[in-house]
Every structure is written in structure tokens, then in C-alpha cells.
Amino acid sequence: MASKAVTLSVRPRGKPAQKLPEEVTVASNGSTSDLYQEIARKAGASIHRFRVTKGSDGSLVPNAKSVAVHSIGLRDQSTVYVKDLGPQLRWRTVFLVEYLGPILIHPILYALLPASSGPSQLQSLTFALIMIHFVKRELETLFIHRFSAATMPLVNIFKNSAHYWLLAGANIAFWTYRPSAPAAGASNPYIIYPALLLYVIGQVGNLYTHVVLRNLRSSGGTERGIPQGWGFGLVTCPNYMFETVAWVGVGLVTWSWSAVIFLAAALVPMGLWARKKESRYRREFGGDYRKKRFVMIPGIW
């Protein structure tokens, strides 16, 4: 038997998108993804630009192929509200652009700033550590990360890029490669070797957790699972824990406040994201999930 068609009344939430239709017609047993597609088709915009909520209770209508229109209580003449999220960019694009900054900035300042006799051993080591870190980030973005959302607001690329291009790029490079920088002096093996050990542990651990998280989601899927393995028994987000460990290693090599400033600026948002992820795990998985007291740094946060 053919599926019954339902006509939904469409109302804007906030500033309306151009050409937003006043109503759309979809199959009752069709997916909510079909609803998003129909709204986007009539509005002449990307499907990722819109957030749809039910008029009855304000709950989110997910953009999901596995959720039927009728299953969330939408009937003929029901009202849905559509919020225009503005211009969007793919997460992968934003990541690639933001991580590119240090990769471009460090070689330039590494070539221009050191003394005429050339960069010191510590300056060269810092340059290598930072280039390895951000090239790794780019490769992970291309081949490992699987994103739960396809896009983010266009404005985020400027905010995110400022963090990496300015703080990790220009800030660390300027204060590390100058002839008067602490890294221009002699190295201390009692500091450098422990610093390198922290850096390696941090990078390997971070890569490992990213692979674990990748394997929880199918290609193109949005499903979630409970991650397990090295670090996940200690904190909610061991990828942030290992990221912190790696940057402590970089800070010990540079012996510069510039690395501390970058790490401090990164810790706050990472901690907030980790706290939200812990709340989401508890909400979605209930008793199957072992609650964590600390979300990012054991014994501290």
C-alpha cells in the first residue's frame, strides 16, 4: 500500500531563509532526512544550513534516514519551525585550514629569526616537534576522523584559525626562534629527554584514541558507541589528555611561555567539550556506561 502523504506547515525560527516554503509535503513513513531534503530543495539551499524543530514541543527533528516522519509525532497539518544556521563549511575543510597555519608560519620564521650562525639544537628540535604534530593532525583529518556532523558555521573557520595560526603559529614561532629566546641556548639533557618522552607518549596516545573513536562509527554514519582501550578507563576524553601531555613536552623543550599560553587557551574548550561528552555518554548509554569522575586530566579535571 502506498504511503500516506502529509503536508507540514513551515514557520521560520528567527530570521527566515530566502525562499523558505510555507509548507512541504512528504511521505508519512518517509525519513526525516527526506523532510530536510524537501525543505532545502524548495529553499534552494544546502540541507546542512537548516535546523528543524517540532511546533508542538520544540524538540529537534533529527536529520536521519533511520527516523520516520510519523514516528516522531508529525501528522498532516503539523507545524515545524526551521532555523537558518547561515553559511556552512564542512568540518574537514575547517580542520585542514586551521592546522595549515603553523605548517606555513613555522618554516618562514625558523628561516628568518635565528642568529646568523643558524638555529640552535633546541630551536631545530622545536621546529621538528611542531611540524610533526600538525602534519599528523592534517593526516588524521584526511584519513582517520569521522565527523558526527557534516558542517559547521562559516564564522568558525576564522575563530578556529585564529587559535592555531596566531597562538600555535606566530606566537610560538616568534618567541622560540629569536636569537634571544631560551631555546637559542644550550640544551639540558635532564629536561630534554623527559620532554621528548612526554611528547612521544602524547602523540602515540592521541593517535591511538583517534583510531578507537573512528572505529566506533561507520563511514558516513552518525552512530555512537562506548569507547574502550588505553586511556578510556581513566578519563572521558583521553585524546585531550594525551594532547596535553604532548604539549607539556613541547613547552619543556622551548622553555617558553608562548607554548604555555597556547596550551592554556586550548585546555578550557577541551575541558568543556569533554564535560559535554561525559554528559552525553551518561544520557545515551545509561547503565551500560561506566561513569567517569574526571573527563580530561586524571585527578584534576
Side-chain angles (χ1 to χ4, degrees):
M1 183 174 66
S3 172
K4 178 183 176 182
V6 294
T7 298
L8 305 176
S9 177
V10 178
R11 297 289 181 268
R13 175 82 66 187
K15 183 179 179 180
Q18 293 184 358
K19 300 181 181 179
L20 183 70
E22 294 185 354
E23 62 180 27
V24 292
T25 300
V26 293
S28 177
N29 65 354
S31 71
T32 52
S33 177
D34 296 336
L35 171 59
Y36 274 81
Q37 293 282 3
E38 184 64 11
I39 292 172
R41 184 185 69 81
K42 287 195 170 185
S46 167
I47 187 175
H48 303 297
R49 186 166 177 144
F50 300 114
R51 177 186 293 129
V52 181
T53 53
K54 292 166 58 178
S56 58
D57 59 10
S59 61
L60 177 68
V61 176
N63 178 10
K65 294 181 180 180
S66 59
V67 179
V69 171
H70 71 84
S71 70
I72 58 172
L74 291 177
R75 303 291 184 262
D76 194 45
Q77 300 307 313
S78 290
T79 297
V80 294
Y81 283 87
V82 177
K83 181 175 179 60
D84 182 5
L85 301 176
Q88 302 285 301
L89 277 178
R90 292 191 175 277
W91 276 75
R92 197 177 308 277
T93 300
V94 175
F95 276 32
L96 290 172
V97 170
E98 66 190 26
Y99 299 149
L100 183 62
I103 294 175
L104 296 177
I105 292 170
H106 275 264
I108 294 173
L109 296 187
Y110 177 73
L112 295 177
L113 290 182
S116 57
S117 58
S120 70
Q121 183 184 44
L122 288 182
Q123 289 173 328
S124 296
L125 180 59
T126 300
F127 174 73
L129 297 182
I130 288 179
M131 293 299 288
I132 290 171
H133 175 79
F134 285 105
V135 169
K136 166 184 168 288
R137 283 288 193 90
E138 295 280 36
L139 293 175
E140 287 176 334
T141 300
L142 288 171
F143 302 111
I144 294 179
H145 290 326
R146 288 175 174 168
F147 302 99
S148 58
T151 63
M152 68 170 71
L154 174 64
V155 68
N156 282 15
I157 196 171
F158 302 104
K159 178 178 64 177
N160 292 17
S161 294
H163 175 73
Y164 287 103
W165 286 61
L166 297 180
L167 291 183
N171 168 55
I172 294 179
F174 178 79
W175 295 107
T176 299
Y177 303 136
R178 296 188 312 156
S180 59
S187 63
N188 183 339
Y190 294 105
I191 296 177
I192 296 306
Y193 290 131
L196 289 177
L197 180 61
L198 289 175
Y199 179 84
V200 171
I201 291 173
Q203 295 293 357
V204 172
N206 182 260
L207 174 61
Y208 168 80
T209 55
H210 285 163
V211 172
V212 170
L213 294 171
R214 176 189 190 275
N215 292 337
L216 292 175
R217 179 172 295 146
S218 61
S219 180
T222 59
E223 68 273 19
R224 305 182 194 276
I226 300 175
Q228 297 177 351
W230 190 34
F232 287 100
L234 296 175
V235 294
T236 310
C237 296
N239 49 324
Y240 298 156
M241 176 184 70
F242 288 122
E243 178 88 0
T244 302
V245 169
W247 278 101
V248 169
V250 174
L252 290 173
V253 171
T254 64
W255 209 246
S256 168
W257 281 103
S258 60
V260 176
I261 291 171
F262 170 72
L263 178 57
L267 281 174
V268 174
M270 286 195 301
L272 295 175
W273 296 333
R275 181 63 64 191
K276 289 180 180 179
K277 181 163 285 191
E278 173 67 17
S279 297
R280 188 167 64 241
Y281 283 155
R282 294 183 183 187
R283 182 175 64 252
E284 292 184 0
F285 300 112
D288 292 333
Y289 175 71
R290 186 170 69 84
K291 298 178 181 179
K292 307 294 193 309
R293 181 180 179 185
F294 302 105
V295 297
M296 186 172 69
I297 303 176
I300 299 176
W301 194 344

